[in-house]
Amino acid sequence: MGRSRRTLPEELLLLALDPTTGTTAQPQSLDLGLAGAQLVELALAGRIAPDGDRIAVVMPRPTGDPTLDSALELLRRRGSPVRAVHWIGGPRLGLRQTYLSHLERCGMVHAVAGQMCGVLPTTRYQATDTAISREIRGRLDSAIRTGVPPDPRTAALAALAHAVGLGKHLYPGNEGRSSRSRLRDLIRHDPMGGLVAHAVMDVQNGVAQPRRAQAPGGRQSPVRGTESAGVPLQAMPPQPMQSRRGSMARAVAH
């Protein structure tokens, strides 16, 4: 993978970078979004593919991007498809800083040292070429304004931006409400981006169960392994062994 094309994690981070403060918007959820963006980028490169709500490695050959290849190798070591929500919700501390350092090495941002309250050292990041950030933002603006279905990369970027809460950063206030709504709607234009974006939102909402499929008539079908009311199987209190044995004994006796 050459450096002529920016990866989705890089673009998502540049979108989140505030040009005035040098800090990133939505820092708590951005790590999740970056992990999701890695999955989409690997899918676009033909290395992984969705398998239901899981992610399967279909080509373990490295991409040439060290950060992506590290994620690909971790997925390969799993040996079997992994649920997107479990992958994204795994330990991802420091992923934002990893990509900031990566962008600095690539010359897309530069670090500015400073102090907080005159004592605590801080580091802020400024884009070295604002035209790059404007081009990324312009693709989203165009998709929102024209209503023309965007390419898969832009659709996935929009889905991830919505998932991590960048909508209110990109299109603030009441005047940005319709743009935020259309940003959310772009999620439907890329299946992989939609899968990953929903997984990011599920992790933030504390949802660990697979998303339920839509049944005919608009009703949601219960996930396999759950009761018809949609309560996760593991959320139910386990029946005591003694009680189960007693029930079996009564059944045999009858």
Side-chain angles (χ1 to χ4, degrees):
M1 180 180 296
R3 292 306 307 152
S4 59
R5 169 175 286 181
R6 296 179 301 274
T7 66
L8 273 173
E10 293 168 0
E11 291 196 329
L12 183 64
L13 187 52
L14 287 171
L15 265 184
L17 193 62
D18 190 310
T20 303
T21 65
T23 60
T24 54
Q26 303 300 110
Q28 288 77 22
S29 56
L30 193 54
D31 275 0
L32 301 177
L34 291 172
Q38 286 183 321
L39 293 180
V40 180
E41 189 65 49
L42 287 170
L44 289 171
R47 278 14 181 221
I48 64 175
D51 181 6
D53 69 336
R54 297 174 183 268
I55 303 297
V57 175
V58 295
M59 184 190 297
R61 180 166 55 85
T63 65
D65 182 296
T67 313
L68 288 175
D69 289 340
S70 176
L72 179 62
E73 177 62 14
L74 289 174
L75 285 166
R76 187 193 66 79
R77 289 179 184 175
R78 294 292 185 98
S80 59
V82 59
R83 284 185 58 203
V85 70
H86 286 166
W87 171 261
I88 291 170
R92 292 292 176 270
L93 294 177
L95 192 57
R96 180 165 36 102
Q97 185 57 51
T98 296
Y99 269 102
L100 283 169
S101 299
H102 176 69
L103 289 177
E104 186 180 15
R105 289 193 302 271
C106 293
M108 283 191 269
V109 302
H110 69 274
V112 179
Q115 288 183 330
M116 181 182 295
C117 301
V119 179
L120 299 175
T122 62
T123 303
R124 301 180 184 275
Y125 293 86
Q126 300 291 337
T128 56
D129 187 351
T130 56
I132 294 177
S133 298
R134 288 198 302 269
E135 184 272 330
I136 297 170
R137 172 69 180 271
R139 282 162 40 210
L140 291 187
D141 290 345
S142 177
I144 287 173
R145 183 180 62 256
T146 65
V148 176
D151 62 275
R153 182 175 294 275
T154 301
L157 181 62
L160 289 163
H162 166 70
V164 301
L166 287 184
K168 58 188 176 184
H169 166 70
L170 299 171
Y171 308 103
N174 287 332
E175 63 276 14
R177 182 177 299 174
S178 61
S179 293
R180 293 195 298 270
S181 178
R182 288 193 288 270
L183 179 70
R184 179 196 62 217
D185 292 342
L186 290 175
I187 200 170
R188 70 182 187 275
H189 290 294
D190 180 58
M192 184 65 181
L195 167 68
V196 169
H198 281 302
V200 169
M201 290 184 285
D202 283 348
V203 173
Q204 293 180 83
N205 294 329
V207 178
Q209 289 300 305
R211 301 181 69 83
R212 290 183 287 177
Q214 198 76 12
R219 295 171 299 161
Q220 284 188 321
S221 301
V223 178
R224 185 174 57 187
T226 65
E227 294 295 325
S228 59
V231 180
L233 188 62
Q234 62 262 39
M236 300 178 185
Q239 189 179 8
M241 182 63 71
Q242 184 177 0
S243 173
R244 290 201 299 269
R245 287 173 177 169
S247 298
M248 293 174 62
R250 286 194 296 272
V252 171
H254 288 295

